[in-house]
Amino acid sequence: MAPKREQKKRLGKKHRQASTRPKLGKTAPRATATTGAVSPKKRKEIAAKKAAATKAAKTPTRSPEKERHVVISPRDASGEQRGHASERQAPPRVRAIKKPLDPDAAEKREWREAEALATELTLVADRHHEPTRLPLVAICGRPNVGKSTLFNRLTQTRRSIVGDEPGITRDRIYGEVEWAGRDVRLVDTGGVIPDDEALIPAEIFRQAKVGLEEADVIIMVVDGRTELAAPDIELARLLLRGGKPIFLAVNKMDTPELLAGAENFRRLGFRNVVPISAEHAAGIGDLLDEVWAALPPEFVAEEPEEAMEGFEEEFEEDMDGGGDPLPGAQDSPDEEAKPGRRLRSHGEHVSRETKIAIIGRPNVGKSTLLNALTESDRAIVSPIAGTTRDAVDEVVTREGHDFRFIDTAGIRRKGKTKLLAEKLSVIMSRKHLEAADVALLVIDAAEGVAAADANIGGYAHESGRSVIIIVNKWDLMTEVGPDGKRLLDGKPPADQKVYEQQVRDSLKYLDYAPLLFVSASESQGIEQVFKKVELVARERRKRVSTGSMNRFLDKIDFQRASVPMAKRVRIYYMTQAAVAPPTFVLFTDRDVKLHFSYERFLANEIRDTFKFIGSPIWFKVKARNKKKKEE
C-alpha cells in the first residue's frame, strides 16, 4: 500500500491573518491591499487613484526645450555662462531623447508657433501711391537667399512671410522705404529659377519679370555662405542684358571673417557689390546709400484734390431728420452708449478707401477673381491648391474712390495644413479678413457649398465684416453642348434661382448677403461686383438718427416674435452707437441677454425699414434701472 500523505493542520482565520503581518510587531500597519482582496466599492476607488496617478505622470511639467525632447547644455565647452559672446557664436549642444513625440502635441505646438509669428507680421499697407509717383526698387534672387528678410528690414515691417523652407514667397509684395528724405517703393519677388519648367516656378519667374521690368533699380541677393549656383549665374546674365542699375547684395555676412568672401561674387559681372546681413542689419545703410544715388531725379507734382463724390449728400443725410451726428450724445449718456465690443465708430464714414478681402477655400478662383477685378496678372493662378501664401493686394480707383482688393490664401482645416508656411498663411488670411471692410466669399459653382465654405463664412459673419457671396466658375454650369440643351458632361444647365435657393439653405446665417454669379476666367459679371461692393460699403457706414429709430420702434409688433415669455424684454428706446458694422444699443427693463430669436426678429425688422444690405447687425443691451439698483 502506498504511504498516506502527511495531513497538515489547518489554521484558523485568526492565525492566517497574523502570519501575513510584518515581524515588527502587531502595531505595524498592514501591507497595501490589492484590488482582488477588497470590496467592489474599494476597487473603484483604487482604480481611480491609479488612473489619476498615470495621468499626472504623463502631464508635461518640463520646459519647452525638454518638451521638444531636446536637452540644451547650459554651458559651452569652455565652461562659460550662457549669454556670453563666445557661446552666442558657438552652436548649442543638443542630445536627442529616444522617447517618441506625441503627434497631437507637436501639431498644437506648431500652430502656437505660427500664431506667435503671425502677431509679428504686418498687414497690407494703409497708404497707396500711384506707381508713377515714386521710383521702384526690385529685390530678386534665387530661393532661400534672404530676399524677404531684406524686404522686411528695409520696410521696417514683417510684411513678407519668412521661413527656412525655400520658395515661400511667390507673388510680388510691395512696400515703401524712406531713406535720406526720399520715399521709394520696394517690391519683393519670389525665388527665381530661370530653367525650371515646373508650373509654380515658371509662374514665379513670370511674376518676377514683371517686377523687374517696372523697376528703376534692381537689387540681386545671393547667399554669401554658399558657392555660386547655376541659378545665380543664369539670373545675373538676364539682369545684365536689361541695362538697368544693378546692385549685388551678398547676404548672410554675419561676422567680420566672412566679409572677404564677398569679393568672390564679383565673378557674376557686377561692379556694385555690397556685403550685408539682413537679419542683423549690417551693411544696410551702405546699400541704401548706393541705391539712392542711382535713382532717377525726384519729380515733384502738385497734390491732386480729393474727389469725395457723394460725401456731402451723406453728411447732410446724417444731419437731417432731427437726429444727432453722434448718436447717444443727447438722448443717452455717453457712458451708456459705449458698446462692449471693439467697434469702428469714428472716421469710417469719410474713408476714401474700401478694403475688400477675397476669402474662400483653396482652388476656388480667388486669385483669378483678383486678376479680373484689377484687369492684370497681379496674382499667380494655377490648378494647384494652396498656390497663394502671402496676401496680395491691389488698388483700383473708380469714380474717385479707391477699392483695395486683398487676395488671401485659401483657408483650410488644421488637419490638412502640414508646413509652417501654410499654417501661417491660414492665420494671416483671418487677420486680413478682420482688417477688411467687405469680404467676398468665393464658392466653386461646380462643387457647391461645402462645410469649409460655411465655416469661412462664419468667420466673416462673427467678425462683423460685410459679406458678398460670389458663385465663381458659373460658365461651367451654363455652357451647353451641340444639342443646345445639355452641358458637355451630359447634365442639364443649372438654373440660377434653384442654385441660389440651395446656397441660401446652406448659408442661412448669411441671408443678408447679396449673391452674384460670375466667371472670373471669362471676366463675366465683374462690373456687378464693383456695384455691389460700393453699395454694401455705403450701407455698412450708414447711420440712422435716434429719432428715426424710436419712431420705427413704436411701429413694431413684438407679439409676432417667437420668443419664450421668460426671455422677453421691454425696449424703452434704442440708438445706433456705431457704424461698420451697424451697432444698436437697446435700453430695456431687464439686464438680460437677448434671445437669438429676438435678435433675428429685430434685425429683420430693421432691414425691412433701413436695409443695411450685406452687413451684419449687432445689438447691445443696457438695463435702464441697473445703475439705480447698484446704488
Side-chain angles (χ1 to χ4, degrees), residues 150 153-154 179-180 217 219 247-250 253 259 272-277 281-294:
L150 177 60
R153 174 66 64 182
L154 295 179
W179 182 259
V217 179
I219 300 176
F247 296 86
L248 183 65
V250 184
M253 300 281 100
L259 295 178
N272 304 312
V273 179
V274 183
I276 64 169
S277 174
I284 300 297
D286 298 336
L287 176 64
L288 292 179
D289 287 338
E290 295 191 17
V291 171
W292 256 240

Side-chain angles (χ1 to χ4, degrees), residues 317 466-467 510-514 532 534-544 548-549 552 576 581-584 599-619:
E317 182 181 353
S466 299
V467 182
L510 293 177
D511 56 349
Y512 56 85
K532 286 296 181 183
E534 188 175 0
L535 172 64
V536 167
R538 186 169 61 250
E539 291 287 313
R540 175 181 179 81
R541 295 188 286 264
K542 184 168 64 177
R543 188 183 294 275
V544 180
S548 300
M549 288 304 305
F552 152 78
Q576 185 176 0
T583 305
F584 298 92
E599 283 191 3
R600 182 176 55 192
F601 169 78
L602 196 56
N604 291 337
E605 293 293 331
I606 292 176
R607 293 189 193 280
D608 291 341
T609 306
F610 303 106
K611 303 304 181 184
F612 291 109
I613 300 173
S615 179
I617 296 177
W618 287 355
F619 295 101

Side-chain angles (χ1 to χ4, degrees), residues 78 84 163 182 273 363 440 463 498-499 559 581:
S78 61
H84 195 269
R182 187 176 182 183
V273 179
N363 209 20
L440 300 182
S463 61
V498 177
Y499 198 97
Q559 299 299 326

Side-chain angles (χ1 to χ4, degrees), residues 493-599:
D495 183 72
Q496 283 193 3
K497 293 183 179 180
V498 177
Y499 198 97
E500 181 176 358
Q501 187 60 41
Q502 294 175 355
V503 174
R504 296 296 184 187
D505 293 340
S506 302
L507 304 174
K508 292 183 178 180
Y509 58 92
L510 293 177
D511 56 349
Y512 56 85
L515 189 142
L516 298 176
F517 294 90
V518 304
S519 174
S521 60
E522 302 295 332
S523 298
Q524 298 176 1
I526 300 302
E527 189 65 27
Q528 295 297 324
V529 176
F530 280 102
K531 292 181 180 179
K532 286 296 181 183
V533 167
E534 188 175 0
L535 172 64
V536 167
R538 186 169 61 250
E539 291 287 313
R540 175 181 179 81
R541 295 188 286 264
K542 184 168 64 177
R543 188 183 294 275
V544 180
S545 64
T546 305
S548 300
M549 288 304 305
N550 290 326
R551 287 191 294 271
F552 152 78
L553 195 62
D554 294 337
K555 299 178 182 179
I556 298 179
D557 184 11
F558 289 100
Q559 299 299 326
R560 296 187 294 108
S562 58
V563 182
M565 294 299 297
K567 298 292 184 179
R568 296 202 175 200
V569 294
R570 182 180 179 185
I571 302 175
Y572 294 112
Y573 67 96
M574 61 189 301
T575 181
Q576 185 176 0
V579 297
T583 305
F584 298 92
V585 178
L586 311 179
F587 294 88
T588 61
D589 58 343
R590 293 189 299 166
D591 186 19
V592 294
K593 184 179 179 181
L594 286 183
H595 195 265
F596 72 92
S597 299
Y598 205 90
E599 283 191 3

